[in-house]
Amino acid sequence: MRILLVEDEEAIADFIERGLRAEGYAVTVANDGETGTTLATSGDFDLLILDLMLPGRSGIEILRDFRKLDAATPVILLTARSEVEDRVTGLDAGASDYIPKPFAFEELAARVRAQLRRPDQPEGSKIGWGSIEMDLLKRTVERDGTELHLSAREFDLLAYLIRHGGQVLSREQLLSGVWGYDYDPGTNVVGVYIAYLRKKLALEGREDPIETLRSVGYRLKEV
Ligand code: CA
């Protein structure tokens, strides 16, 4: 599980980073809003922890940009101020949870665990398509025996494509099946994640397995 932490106060960033690493998470730290935005929108993380007051861009601005692309990945806000207004603004902008500073590390760790908890998967469930193999229990993906590192959303998208291998899937079907939307959020989140997935599935000498059918949808090819 990969976590992005955007926090400008070095002592706090260091304290959180060390704690989370000790819990077994891979942690990337950004110290300003610009770097934080670039990393957050890369699609590489399973959870974001954002401080609100940052140089460059605020945590709320990062959150708003991120939510245009990804409605589901959990985001926890660190709020230095105790005003109710900040929390409401954060939750309205799509935060999953917030934690007021100062906090005990254990409290943050418990909130991270709660956000990352996933529904149980059937045991030993393996699915595959062409050169791609996925273990839904271990949440691992291989192509031609090479392990690929996918974010939680990319993983769910690929699993959905494999379960419907060979079928043409519309953007609406993917929004509903992978993101759980029953309405069109009016963003290009599907296209963005298809692009992420293509990049991760790219192997030298191997064809792109995702076929785009203009204004119709996507289909997985057996390559
Ligand atoms: Ca700060």
Side-chain angles (χ1 to χ4, degrees):
M1 287 286 181
R2 278 149 303 169
I3 297 177
L4 172 67
L5 168 64
V6 187
E7 166 62 80
D8 58 317
E9 282 164 78
E10 269 179 45
I12 296 175
D14 190 50
F15 154 78
I16 298 174
E17 184 186 9
R18 277 187 288 122
L20 290 173
R21 281 190 201 282
E23 300 269 319
Y25 300 107
V27 185
T28 301
V29 180
N31 301 115
D32 64 84
E34 299 288 350
T35 314
T37 303
T38 306
L39 288 169
T41 53
S42 70
D44 279 339
F45 298 94
D46 301 304
L47 182 138
L48 312 185
I49 300 173
L50 306 176
D51 184 29
L52 282 189
M53 303 287 283
L54 294 163
R57 311 187 72 227
S58 74
I60 295 287
E61 288 174 289
I62 299 174
L63 175 60
R64 288 200 175 116
D65 279 357
F66 181 66
R67 281 289 180 247
K68 285 178 199 159
L69 296 175
D70 184 329
T73 296
V75 177
I76 299 175
L77 297 179
L78 306 178
T79 66
R81 295 169 296 178
S82 55
E83 283 96 320
V84 173
E85 201 183 313
D86 284 343
R87 298 177 190 176
V88 172
T89 306
L91 293 170
D92 280 348
S96 321
D97 200 357
Y98 63 85
I99 185 163
K101 289 179 182 175
F103 53 84
F105 178 76
E106 266 319 306
E107 193 183 350
L108 176 65
R111 289 176 190 224
V112 166
R113 278 195 300 275
Q115 291 298 332
L116 292 174
R117 204 165 291 141
R118 305 194 152 271
D120 291 339
Q121 302 274 0
E123 269 187 46
S125 39
K126 286 189 184 175
I127 57 171
W129 181 259
S131 55
I132 304 164
E133 271 189 47
M134 302 184 83
D135 186 321
L136 300 177
L137 181 68
K138 295 184 186 156
R139 293 190 74 84
T140 55
V141 189
E142 288 184 358
R143 186 169 189 197
D144 276 346
T146 303
E147 194 174 346
L148 309 176
H149 300 279
L150 305 188
S151 71
R153 182 65 65 195
E154 291 161 356
F155 187 95
D156 293 343
L157 175 58
L158 182 59
Y160 193 86
L161 289 169
I162 288 180
R163 287 199 189 100
H164 300 84
Q167 292 176 25
V168 177
L169 297 166
S170 68
R171 190 170 153 271
E172 290 73 24
Q173 275 173 292
L174 292 169
L175 278 171
S176 149
V178 180
W179 278 264
Y181 285 134
D182 51 8
Y183 62 96
D184 189 336
T187 63
N188 187 27
V189 63
V190 173
V192 168
Y193 272 84
I194 289 280
Y196 290 156
L197 199 51
R198 278 202 168 111
K199 218 159 114 186
K200 301 243 176 121
L201 289 171
L203 270 193
E204 216 175 282
R206 275 291 191 176
E207 215 184 305
D208 177 0
I210 304 171
E211 187 183 357
T212 302
L213 298 122
R214 200 165 276 283
S215 69
V216 178
Y218 303 93
R219 174 169 56 195
L220 208 53
K221 294 184 295 176
E222 199 158 342
V223 291

